[in-house]
Amino acid sequence: MEINKFFPEIHGNFGFGCMRLPMVQNKVDYVEFTKMADTFINAGFNYFDTAHGYIGGQSETAIGDCVASRYSRDKFLLTNKLTDPYFKKQEDIRPFFMQQLAWCKVDYFDFYLMHAQNRNNYEKYKRCKAYETAYEFKKEGLIKHLGLSFHDKADVLDMILTEHPEIEIVQIQFNYADYEDASVESRKVYEVCEKHDKPVLVMEPVKGGSLVNLPPEADKILRGLNGGSNASYAIRFAASFPKMAVVLSGMSNMEQMTDNISAMKDFMPLDEKEMDAVHKVCDIFRSMNLIPCTSCRYCIEENECPKGIRIPDMFSSLNAHEAFHNWNTTFYYKNVITGNGHGKASDCIRCGKCEKVCPQHLEIRNLLTKVASIFE
Ligand code: SF4
Ligand code: SF4
């Protein structure tokens, strides 16, 4: 297995995301998780990712019981995160962090991330000096590397990385379906990481599983390749970009584990034919987009919506919802309406100014009613 090109302690470029572990009657299935962890480590990998919010705290304790208690500390790397609801002021951060170490049965984390940063919660992290506190942990040897995970627009990431050059790694949502998506902005967010020369951790490479069960015509295209699974093409797509340090997969059973390992053990970037096939799959998704909004943004840049409604971002969320029925679209819709006086779809007063400038002649007012009915 190749040594990671950014962090030599990471084996390969594939990580075990522990947010969707196998469950039995609302408890993590320790027998299955232990087998999966053993298979992962025996295949040569060592990067595990958790957060306190995953499975209501069970992800951390399962890692403590099934991994940390059974392997010496040099056999695995562990990433944990500081998540918004678990602190109110700076003084809360250290006791919470020490608890996280105890839950995971380790005495340091290899990576510690400021979790799910966006324009809104970043203000709280600043107010509570969260970045500075985590940097203290690094100086004390309680974490090896400091990073952040991110869920917002590229300009917000640019601002955070400019204000915090000490950040060593950035976790982003990145997959072929979100690559040009106007609400997720995978490509643009990735380019900000490139600009700041930060290695990238990929989350949601299969879009929460949406890129596994493809529409039949898209499935047929990938079946015409060399026999890899749909998930394998999605994961290898994400890993094919030069700044990608680790692609995480939130695996829930052994079948997913063995499939992912076979794609990533001797990783090869997508070749030209495979990349071409993935682009064709993207074209099919685009053809499914029920709202033919081109994200030209005329409706918000040439017209001042009196309610500050981010129309193309809302349409993008709705399209993703229609194509994938994905939980994450509600999360992104919430981001679209957060901050700077941005209105909800239902705030539209139907003045019609936006429709006058839309080159696609979209019935924006009616479409916003649909957006509101689904997300609000
Ligand atoms: S019709 Fe609605 S969305 Fe369009 S400009 Fe008026 S308030 Fe904004
Ligand atoms: S003007 Fe029309 S096509 Fe352009 S972003 Fe707005 S809704 Fe989409």
Side-chain angles (χ1 to χ4, degrees):
M1 169 136 344
E2 281 190 20
I3 294 296
N4 191 276
K5 58 188 170 184
F6 300 105
F7 298 94
E9 65 268 44
I10 302 176
H11 297 173
N13 59 351
F14 177 58
F16 190 168
C18 297
M19 76 292 283
R20 301 186 187 102
L21 295 178
M23 304 293 287
V24 180
Q25 293 177 338
N26 296 325
K27 300 271 181 222
V28 172
D29 181 344
Y30 272 24
V31 174
E32 185 70 4
F33 176 45
T34 299
K35 277 192 221 154
M36 289 169 71
D38 289 353
T39 303
F40 181 72
I41 289 173
N42 290 337
F45 296 105
N46 63 350
Y47 188 99
F48 290 80
D49 171 274
T50 188
H52 185 58
Y54 296 167
I55 328 176
Q58 289 191 55
S59 172
E60 288 178 322
T61 48
I63 287 171
D65 293 336
C66 303
V67 181
S69 300
R70 298 175 53 252
Y71 285 95
S72 63
R73 191 64 183 87
D74 60 336
K75 293 286 186 231
F76 67 95
L77 304 176
L78 183 56
T79 293
N80 210 330
K81 311 187 186 82
L82 178 65
T83 312
D84 183 0
Y86 305 117
F87 66 100
K88 288 196 169 66
K89 53 189 185 308
Q90 185 181 8
E91 293 72 33
D92 299 335
I93 295 173
R94 184 175 288 268
F96 174 69
F97 175 84
M98 299 311 281
Q99 267 294 317
Q100 289 183 290
L101 289 175
W103 285 320
C104 294
K105 298 192 171 152
V106 293
D107 49 16
Y108 66 89
F109 291 122
D110 298 275
F111 294 83
Y112 197 62
L113 311 184
M114 304 292 101
H115 196 182
Q117 297 292 274
N118 60 35
R119 188 187 298 278
N120 221 23
N121 66 20
Y122 177 59
E123 290 306 314
K124 175 180 172 183
Y125 281 68
K126 268 171 58 165
R127 195 172 62 248
C128 296
K129 296 199 180 319
Y131 286 70
E132 291 80 353
T133 307
Y135 201 62
E136 287 298 314
F137 298 155
K138 182 175 172 181
K139 285 198 264 184
E140 294 166 33
L142 296 172
I143 64 176
K144 302 291 182 197
H145 302 287
L146 176 59
L148 64 89
S149 73
F150 186 75
H151 280 287
D152 206 337
K153 300 288 188 179
D155 62 322
V156 177
L157 181 60
D158 196 23
M159 173 188 71
I160 296 175
L161 292 179
T162 302
E163 292 182 6
H164 289 286
E166 75 277 17
I167 289 296
E168 296 167 81
I169 195 160
V170 179
Q171 184 162 314
I172 67 173
Q173 176 166 333
F174 190 95
N175 57 66
Y176 64 73
D178 286 331
Y179 190 61
E180 294 293 356
D181 183 272
S183 58
V184 180
E185 291 193 343
S186 283
R187 176 179 60 78
K188 289 183 185 170
V189 167
Y190 172 77
E191 286 170 358
V192 170
C193 297
E194 275 191 320
K195 174 184 155 187
H196 289 268
D197 197 21
K198 305 295 181 191
V200 176
L201 298 161
V202 175
M203 58 182 152
E204 303 295 1
V206 292
K207 204 172 167 64
S210 302
L211 303 182
V212 176
N213 299 312
L214 296 172
E217 63 274 39
D219 193 67
K220 201 170 152 200
I221 290 170
L222 297 189
R223 294 286 60 75
L225 294 171
N226 60 10
S229 67
N230 292 348
S232 74
Y233 293 115
I235 290 171
R236 286 177 55 224
F237 171 84
S240 295
F241 289 73
K243 291 302 277 185
M244 299 314 190
V246 174
V247 176
L248 294 168
S249 180
M251 295 166 280
S252 305
N253 55 51
M254 189 60 90
E255 190 188 346
Q256 292 168 355
M257 173 64 75
T258 49
D259 179 51
N260 287 183
I261 285 175
S262 70
M264 297 303 285
K265 196 166 177 3
D266 300 302
F267 170 71
M268 294 290 287
L270 292 187
D271 63 26
E272 209 174 314
K273 191 174 165 203
E274 291 169 327
M275 195 59 93
D276 192 45
V278 164
H279 287 143
K280 283 186 184 138
V281 170
C282 286
D283 288 343
I284 288 171
F285 279 125
R286 268 192 284 278
S287 76
M288 287 174 66
N289 266 359
L290 303 175
I291 305 176
C293 168
T294 58
S295 291
C296 68
R297 305 186 90 77
Y298 289 173
C299 54
I300 48 180
E301 286 167 6
E302 295 200 359
N303 156 62
E304 194 159 329
C305 167
K307 292 295 178 181
I309 296 169
R310 292 159 79 181
I311 298 161
D313 300 341
M314 289 191 170
F315 291 169
S316 178
S317 293
L318 181 59
N319 284 339
H321 176 89
E322 302 276 301
F324 299 115
H325 305 286
N326 189 286
W327 60 272
N328 227 359
T329 55
T330 305
F331 186 88
Y332 273 94
Y333 178 74
K334 283 187 186 143
N335 270 344
V336 168
I337 60 174
T338 297
N340 289 344
H342 293 136
K344 303 193 294 295
S346 60
D347 291 334
C348 173
I349 55 170
R350 302 186 70 84
C351 67
K353 284 163 69 181
C354 52
E355 291 184 14
K356 289 198 178 109
V357 297
C358 176
Q360 307 301 320
H361 310 295
L362 298 180
E363 294 182 352
I364 293 174
R365 289 171 287 187
N366 292 342
L367 289 167
L368 286 175
T369 304
K370 187 175 179 191
V371 170
S373 74
I374 286 177
F375 292 114
E376 296 174 25

